[in-house]
Amino acid sequence: MPDRNPPISKLVEPDRVHKSVYTDEQLFELEMERIHERVWIYCGHETQVKKPGDYYTVQIGRQPMVMVRGADGKVNVLYNRCPHRGAMICGDRHGNTGEFFRCSYHAWTFNHDGKLKNIPMMESGYQGTRWNRDNPDCNMKQAARVANYRGFVFASLVADGPSLVEFLGPSKIAFDDICDRAPEGEVEVVPNCFRVIQNSNWKIFLENQLDALHPSVTHQSTGRAARDVEVQIEKKTGHAPLAYHMLSAFSTVTIDKWDNFQTLNYPHGHCILAGYMGLRPQDPDTLAYEKTLVKAYGEKRKEEILSTNIHHVLIYPGLSVQSPLQQLRAVRPLGVNKTLTEIWHFRLKGAPEPIYRRALAYYNLVNSPATLINADDLENFWKIQTGLGSDGGDWVSFARHYGRDIEKDGVLETGEGMGTSEAPMRNQMKAWSEFMARA
Amino acid sequence: MAKKAVRKVVKKAVKKTAARKVSLPAYKAGNYATQHAVEQFLYKQAEVLDAKRWQDYIDLFTDEGVYWMPADPADRHWDGIPSIFAEDKNLMTVRMNRVLHPDAWSQRPLWGTNHVVGNVIVEKESPNGDVVVRSRFHMLELRRDTVRHFAGSYVHQLKKTPNGYRIKMQRVDMTNAQAAFEYVLQVWV
Ligand code: FES
Ligand SMILES: [Fe+2]
């Protein structure tokens, strides 16, 4: 660590964080080692790899990994690396590898669980050496742990630590909420993920996800523009598609109203933004959908499912889930000031088509690379990253409503009318300090 | 591998990469007028975009017109799938109003584009004068101090009206549609 930075234990105070946490390259390496390459990281949804041999590559911390479906139906997560001379095995982002992996350098082959299948002229070439089928070093290495929660596949690169369900804790409601909204209790990935690079540190994105103070400021232009057109359409036809309402909410939900939201902050840095964006209209499409839910679950359970009061769930350190719209953003840090987001949409199995279309409109307008919303967030992220590089100050403040949070059984709740509290950021940085303190 | 097997594999690979079947129209004398009119239309469109004359651009579309940039070159219909852009005139108006709003933060810094359109091929001309036309574009974008280069192909379905062509559908296939986007696109390409 450069001398001008305080030691790690001094970087995070309860209501502020030292800027080097966002700008220091050595700290970034340490974060990858102590956070991303240890905790449970989201790899993908099992429906991304439906058939045996289907694979998807994914970055966990600094490690290129590959998620692959085996002939036995099991989803494996392997290091995308050949044990021979280290070449990457899968060069495409996704595809089908057939019955086995085959390295493009010297044709070593591997089963879908990574186990060595064959080496050309193995007998003559390796007799008497340390390389034989019983030596695990001949296999593609597996992630230490892989777990699947309701179809969402996670991996951890270390053998010890909490189980996935323990790690997720109450934040697993993100996946329950997505799946329960499907009459069949499952979702299927929409086979096209949007990928956008942010020129900023990964934590800046996570902090923004639960920042209830910013939408009406940052997204004012789109909110207003959408509202104007929404009003015109309403005049002409009586009612505008829901997509306009989702966009115009950014201006009609003014800055003071965001205090009505509430955040619930959990161990390991996870957080739920509870609140309601008017996603439960009473149009014929919604009513038809509600009928399918009643049929599947009964009236009482349907009410429970649809009144789940979630706007956003943040699963530290790399997943932001918008369960009422069946969308998620996975964060892949590429460097201290470069971050890739992969944005996925899911289809509720058994739900009528209009419900998918409605969420799709949001996916296209808000989450595509031509986003009407995130563009201004990215602009802010870049400004933050650049500003933090300056000597104009050493600290980032998270003091809003500090000292007024309510702590109940390890859960930090923002108080009534304090939805814009910076509690989620304080909670994330608390988790960060705990992870970083473990050598 | 036997020669035949190799040929088969190569054929398969070629099939996989050929995203769209390209048919070259037979040369017909008398196409000049259409060719010329269509080219002029595309050049004008490029100028309107580069001049940031957003309302004029939207006015180039028919009332039901759609601007579509697929996320995947294999996509055939714009409706009901993830797309980078899939906008009717109403949504285009939202985008325009947003870009013109003084607090569109990402629009504040200096930015501009430069489109070049070429390889214009009239694919189909109906008796009523409507045409389907393919072309290629290169677009250079400046944002702050950074230059980005985009390229791809257009397919325009144009309706012939007394006031000239109007766009029923503009399909834009960006060469990098499936790659990660370094920053985002703010207006139509
Ligand atoms: S590096 Fe993979 S077979 Fe040699
Ligand atoms: Fe935002």
Side-chain angles (χ1 to χ4, degrees):
Chain A
M1 296 257 310
D3 291 330
R4 58 195 300 224
N5 288 346
I8 295 180
S9 59
K10 296 263 162 17
L11 294 173
V12 179
E13 295 180 6
D15 65 340
R16 62 177 196 170
V17 173
H18 194 264
K19 67 178 181 188
S20 60
V21 163
Y22 303 87
T23 57
D24 187 272
E25 285 183 23
Q26 283 163 284
L27 268 178
F28 175 80
E29 295 294 319
L30 211 60
E31 283 177 332
M32 294 303 104
E33 188 187 313
R34 294 187 179 174
I35 305 178
H36 292 74
E37 292 170 12
R38 278 189 192 165
V39 304
W40 289 100
I41 297 287
Y42 178 65
C43 297
H45 193 263
E46 62 180 8
T47 54
Q48 283 170 246
V49 289
K50 277 191 184 158
K51 297 188 301 291
D54 281 354
Y55 69 85
Y56 238 100
T57 60
V58 57
Q59 186 90 4
I60 298 186
R62 298 158 298 186
Q63 312 301 322
M65 310 294 291
V66 53
M67 173 173 87
V68 60
R69 173 82 67 173
D72 56 358
K74 204 174 142 217
V75 176
N76 305 296
V77 179
L78 311 170
Y79 286 79
N80 189 4
R81 178 197 190 274
C82 180
H84 178 217
R85 299 252 287 274
M88 241 165 53
I89 297 285
C90 298
D92 291 350
R93 206 158 67 80
H94 57 99
N96 185 290
T97 183
E99 278 164 35
F100 48 82
F101 290 111
R102 182 174 185 270
C103 181
S104 60
Y105 199 4
H106 313 97
W108 288 29
T109 52
F110 307 90
N111 295 322
H112 296 142
D113 60 0
K115 180 127 184 55
L116 177 70
K117 183 176 162 71
N118 205 15
I119 298 177
M121 298 164 289
M122 183 161 184
E123 284 304 297
S124 56
Y126 285 93
Q127 208 167 39
T129 72
R130 69 170 83 196
W131 293 96
N132 60 62
R133 255 172 237 284
D134 298 326
N135 181 349
D137 290 349
C138 289
N139 303 337
M140 284 170 74
K141 191 173 161 186
Q142 293 186 335
R145 293 182 295 163
V146 178
N148 176 329
Y149 185 76
R150 299 197 72 169
F152 296 83
V153 179
F154 287 74
S156 158
L157 301 185
V158 293
D160 54 326
S163 71
L164 175 62
V165 171
E166 285 164 358
F167 174 75
L168 292 174
S171 74
K172 75 176 169 32
I173 195 172
F175 307 113
D176 291 331
D177 190 32
I178 285 192
C179 296
D180 291 346
R181 282 169 188 270
E184 292 175 24
E186 298 186 320
V187 293
E188 183 164 18
V189 81
V190 175
N192 221 326
C193 122
F194 292 133
R195 294 185 301 149
V196 176
I197 288 170
Q198 313 179 341
N199 289 299
S200 44
N201 187 270
W202 59 277
K203 297 187 290 300
I204 293 172
F205 172 78
L206 297 190
E207 286 157 8
N208 181 70
Q209 286 312 92
L210 295 163
D211 183 307
L213 193 61
H214 90 279
S216 56
V217 182
T218 303
H219 305 304
Q220 180 67 225
S221 62
T222 296
R224 291 287 285 276
R227 183 68 195 139
D228 289 350
V229 177
E230 186 182 21
V231 168
Q232 289 202 344
I233 299 176
E234 276 166 359
K235 257 192 223 150
K236 251 192 252 164
T237 68
H239 112 115
L242 192 66
Y244 289 89
H245 178 70
M246 291 173 186
L247 293 177
S248 64
F250 283 102
S251 71
T252 51
V253 182
T254 47
I255 195 161
D256 46 312
K257 292 196 193 131
W258 285 91
D259 257 335
N260 300 333
F261 284 66
Q262 189 193 26
T263 60
L264 308 166
N265 300 281
Y266 301 104
H268 307 305
H270 311 321
C271 176
I272 292 176
L273 176 62
Y276 196 53
M277 240 174 119
L279 298 174
R280 214 186 143 182
Q282 293 296 308
D283 57 287
D285 289 341
T286 309
L287 297 177
Y289 164 56
E290 293 197 3
K291 267 197 195 136
T292 63
L293 285 179
V294 173
K295 210 168 153 208
Y297 299 111
E299 174 64 29
K300 191 169 154 255
R301 181 78 186 109
K302 174 218 88 179
E303 245 344 275
E304 265 170 38
I305 291 168
L306 289 181
S307 51
T308 303
N309 189 23
I310 286 182
H311 185 273
H312 240 115
V313 180
L314 184 108
I315 297 170
Y316 200 76
L319 199 58
S320 161
V321 186
Q322 227 169 337
S323 49
L325 291 164
Q326 300 91 49
Q327 288 164 41
L328 65 77
R329 288 181 252 190
V331 182
R332 316 285 180 201
L334 301 178
V336 70
N337 55 10
K338 217 177 183 58
T339 305
L340 173 71
T341 45
E342 296 168 358
I343 313 164
W344 289 97
H345 182 202
F346 299 87
R347 208 186 250 273
L348 300 172
K349 278 197 182 170
E353 179 77 6
I355 299 302
Y356 157 74
R357 296 272 178 134
R358 177 183 290 178
L360 176 71
Y362 187 89
Y363 186 58
N364 283 343
L365 292 169
V366 173
N367 281 324
S368 94
T371 166
L372 289 164
I373 296 291
N374 299 340
D376 293 321
D377 289 321
L378 294 178
E379 175 80 8
N380 280 341
F381 300 170
W382 173 79
K383 284 179 180 165
I384 295 167
Q385 189 70 31
T386 309
L388 288 178
S390 93
D391 286 337
D394 285 340
W395 295 91
V396 172
S397 166
F398 294 138
R400 191 174 178 85
H401 288 308
Y402 173 62
R404 299 183 204 135
D405 307 321
I406 306 152
E407 196 164 350
K408 268 194 234 156
D409 311 323
V411 182
L412 211 62
E413 286 183 17
T414 50
E416 176 100 8
M418 295 180 205
T420 62
S421 167
E422 282 165 338
M425 300 81 182
R426 295 192 287 273
N427 189 52
Q428 285 169 36
M429 286 317 303
K430 185 168 155 259
W432 186 90
S433 315
E434 288 161 10
F435 287 128
M436 293 294 277
R438 268 172 241 154
Chain B
M1 242 191 275
K3 247 193 196 156
K4 216 168 146 194
V6 171
R7 228 180 288 137
K8 213 166 143 196
V9 169
V10 169
K11 233 185 177 170
K12 218 171 145 193
V14 168
K15 244 196 202 151
K16 220 173 125 191
T17 48
R20 181 178 323 162
K21 219 173 149 192
V22 172
S23 61
L24 292 178
Y27 170 77
K28 262 199 248 132
N31 269 352
Y32 288 125
T34 306
Q35 176 78 23
H36 179 74
V38 160
E39 283 178 1
Q40 290 301 309
F41 179 84
L42 294 176
Y43 300 159
K44 181 177 161 196
Q45 175 195 282
E47 296 225 317
V48 164
L49 283 174
D50 290 338
K52 303 184 182 175
R53 284 161 49 195
W54 310 128
Q55 187 61 58
D56 289 345
Y57 180 64
I58 296 173
D59 289 343
L60 291 179
F61 286 72
T62 64
D63 285 347
E64 292 75 37
V66 171
Y67 178 92
W68 181 35
M69 186 185 286
D72 184 329
D75 291 339
R76 285 287 158 268
H77 305 283
W78 68 276
D79 203 15
I81 52 166
S83 295
I84 299 171
F85 289 82
E87 298 181 357
D88 60 9
K89 271 182 138 170
N90 282 331
L91 281 172
M92 291 179 85
T93 305
V94 173
R95 187 176 291 278
M96 172 180 73
N97 290 350
R98 160 189 147 62
V99 165
L100 295 176
H101 191 282
D103 285 352
W105 308 107
S106 57
Q107 300 306 307
R108 295 277 281 270
L110 175 71
W111 75 278
T113 59
N114 195 320
H115 287 74
V116 176
V117 186
N119 304 16
V120 180
I121 296 175
V122 178
E123 197 159 81
K124 197 174 142 201
E125 184 170 9
S126 304
N128 65 4
D130 291 2
V131 292
V132 178
V133 50
R134 289 192 280 124
S135 59
R136 301 263 162 182
F137 67 87
H138 278 261
M139 188 269 268
L140 195 109
E141 181 209 67
L142 171 76
R143 275 187 67 79
R144 278 197 194 87
D145 293 334
T146 311
V147 163
R148 294 194 295 178
H149 180 201
F150 298 97
S153 64
Y154 290 140
V155 176
H156 284 78
Q157 292 176 26
L158 300 178
K159 183 180 168 63
K160 193 164 189 179
T161 78
N163 304 318
Y165 288 121
R166 289 291 174 269
I167 303 169
K168 286 189 284 188
M169 162 67 75
Q170 177 174 3
R171 175 180 174 139
V172 185
D173 279 288
M174 292 254 274
T175 307
N176 64 326
Q178 290 169 292
F181 274 72
E182 177 90 30
Y183 194 58
V184 294
L185 299 166
Q186 301 271 294
V187 289
W188 312 286
V189 174

